[in-house]
Amino acid sequence: MRASVVLMPLLAIAAAAQRKCGNTKVPTGLKETAKSFQRANARSAWIAHSVANKTLNVETYFHVVASDETEANGYVPEDKLKKQHEVMNEHYKSTGVVFDLKNISWTVNAEWSAFSVDAEDKTTEMAMKKNLRKGGYAALNIYFRPLGDGLLGICEFPDDVAADSKEFWMDGCQVLHSSVPGGSTKNYDLGATATHEVGHWFGLFHTFQDGCDGGDQVDDTPAEASPTSGCPVGKDTCPGNKYPGLDPIKNFMDYSYDACLDQFTPGQATRIMQMWEKYRAKGVTPSTPDTGSDSGSDSGSDSGSTDPWKRFKLSNFY
Ligand SMILES: [Zn+2]
């Protein structure tokens, strides 16, 4: 009895000690795309320059999926989601990305709330996404729910998808409900998890992807051998002249604590725009536009009617 009283808090701390993200493997095709952008950017500074000062407005939908109406079981209140939205826009400010939050939905469904992202049978995940998803392939859908397995989040990387394909409907991000600003996940409660995960949705990799000689295929991200835990200033896992710079522990695509993370590099901002143009700007939409029960009147069938490249315009419905 005494032993369990001592052990439980220790286990709780251990479980939250390291950020855990589901996007550990990058699809081969996407990695090749990243390498081709890297080579093109190295050949001509003009290529990166041409997208450097763009503003990208991203149609965004938040979905809360809980097993009941308590915060502990996934029911995130509106004020915390508004804060999450604000924080994402602050974090992405240097990149030119602006998230235009169109709608928030709340759903109580024990099955959709509790499934494991590792489940081989994707029936439940597909049912949740097909019912809740809004907009075309250029629209960001984030599902906030209790993920289990110590997981903080996972997103679908961008790809060439066909309308109504399985890949189209599976697109989006799943983020741990308690990682929002003011949430209950210690050290990951300032909203940087959503920022990190959405980085994958745009096509960014981990800063430590493939180690010192692999990297994230972005030239101005310093080489890093292993994910960061906490905020260890001076960490340098790829030392020597061959690998200039310390580990990018403050980069949103590392695994550091939320309080440690505050930057994307200019190269990552360029990469976001390049990936966007290749995969998401086409705005593939489902052939049968959703007629969801929410109030959002401008969701769905937005086939080319809006220009995502327009200049800075912060227009959400608040
Ligand atoms: Zn990640």
Side-chain angles (χ1 to χ4, degrees):
M1 188 62 189
R2 280 179 64 193
S4 67
V5 169
V6 175
L7 266 175
M8 278 179 64
L10 283 176
L11 286 172
I13 291 166
Q18 172 81 54
R19 180 180 294 278
K20 188 177 168 197
C21 164
N23 291 76
T24 51
K25 289 198 183 76
V26 177
T28 309
L30 187 65
K31 198 177 282 186
E32 288 309 312
T33 298
K35 285 180 180 173
S36 72
F37 283 137
Q38 189 179 28
R39 285 193 297 270
N41 295 348
R43 274 199 306 275
S44 167
W46 181 86
I47 295 172
H49 186 72
S50 69
V51 293
N53 296 309
K54 297 267 187 177
T55 293
L56 172 61
N57 281 283
V58 179
E59 184 183 326
T60 301
Y61 300 91
F62 285 176
H63 309 280
V64 174
V65 185
S67 56
D68 60 34
E69 289 192 16
T70 66
E71 208 169 331
N73 289 325
Y75 209 84
V76 189
E78 186 173 9
D79 60 332
K80 288 184 179 169
L81 295 165
K82 284 183 177 176
K83 188 71 189 157
Q84 176 68 75
H85 175 226
E86 283 171 24
V87 162
M88 285 167 66
N89 276 337
E90 282 166 26
H91 290 170
Y92 275 89
K93 202 164 189 175
S94 72
T95 69
V97 169
V98 178
F99 298 98
D100 186 2
L101 184 58
K102 296 286 192 190
N103 196 48
I104 304 173
S105 72
W106 284 267
T107 304
V108 173
N109 183 315
E111 200 187 350
W112 293 358
S113 170
F115 70 88
S116 166
V117 300
D118 292 328
E120 275 187 39
D121 181 352
K122 301 292 183 194
T123 311
T124 306
E125 182 171 349
M126 182 62 99
M128 176 190 79
K129 289 179 171 176
K130 242 182 159 165
N131 271 277
L132 299 179
R133 192 201 157 86
K134 298 284 179 194
Y137 198 58
L140 170 64
N141 284 260
I142 304 183
Y143 306 88
F144 294 94
R145 66 180 190 90
L147 294 173
D149 307 322
L151 193 66
L152 284 172
I154 185 167
C155 291
E156 299 298 314
F157 283 115
D159 200 355
D160 286 313
V161 304
D164 295 328
S165 62
K166 171 177 161 287
E167 290 73 21
F168 173 86
W169 289 108
M170 288 295 276
D171 185 49
C173 293
Q174 298 180 69
V175 170
L176 181 63
H177 71 289
S178 53
S179 72
V180 299
S184 60
T185 304
K186 192 171 169 5
N187 298 319
Y188 309 102
D189 56 356
L190 300 175
T193 293
T195 298
H196 171 108
E197 296 304 329
V198 170
H200 293 309
W201 185 78
F202 281 123
L204 298 181
F205 311 152
H206 289 137
T207 48
F208 49 85
Q209 193 77 44
D210 299 337
C212 296
D213 293 308
D216 63 350
Q217 321 303 333
V218 176
D219 277 342
D220 60 1
T221 308
E224 184 176 44
S226 58
T228 301
S229 186
C231 196
V233 176
K235 175 174 176 260
D236 192 10
T237 54
C238 299
N241 291 340
K242 189 181 172 192
Y243 308 109
L246 300 172
D247 286 11
I249 65 166
K250 295 169 82 65
N251 194 291
F252 286 113
M253 300 315 290
D254 199 349
Y255 270 12
S256 318
Y257 288 166
D258 277 15
C260 191
L261 301 174
D262 67 1
Q263 51 191 241
F264 286 109
T265 67
Q268 285 173 315
T270 299
R271 181 58 47 80
I272 287 172
M273 298 300 178
Q274 290 176 316
M275 287 287 191
W276 184 268
E277 210 158 357
K278 178 169 174 58
Y279 291 116
R280 296 197 182 273
K282 285 174 274 188
V284 172
T285 50
S287 58
T288 48
D290 58 73
T291 52
S293 53
D294 303 296
S295 56
S297 57
D298 54 350
S299 63
S301 56
D302 50 348
S303 51
S305 61
T306 54
D307 174 18
W309 294 102
K310 61 193 162 196
R311 302 300 301 178
F312 184 91
K313 182 168 138 318
L314 187 59
S315 61
N316 58 57
F317 66 99
Y318 296 121

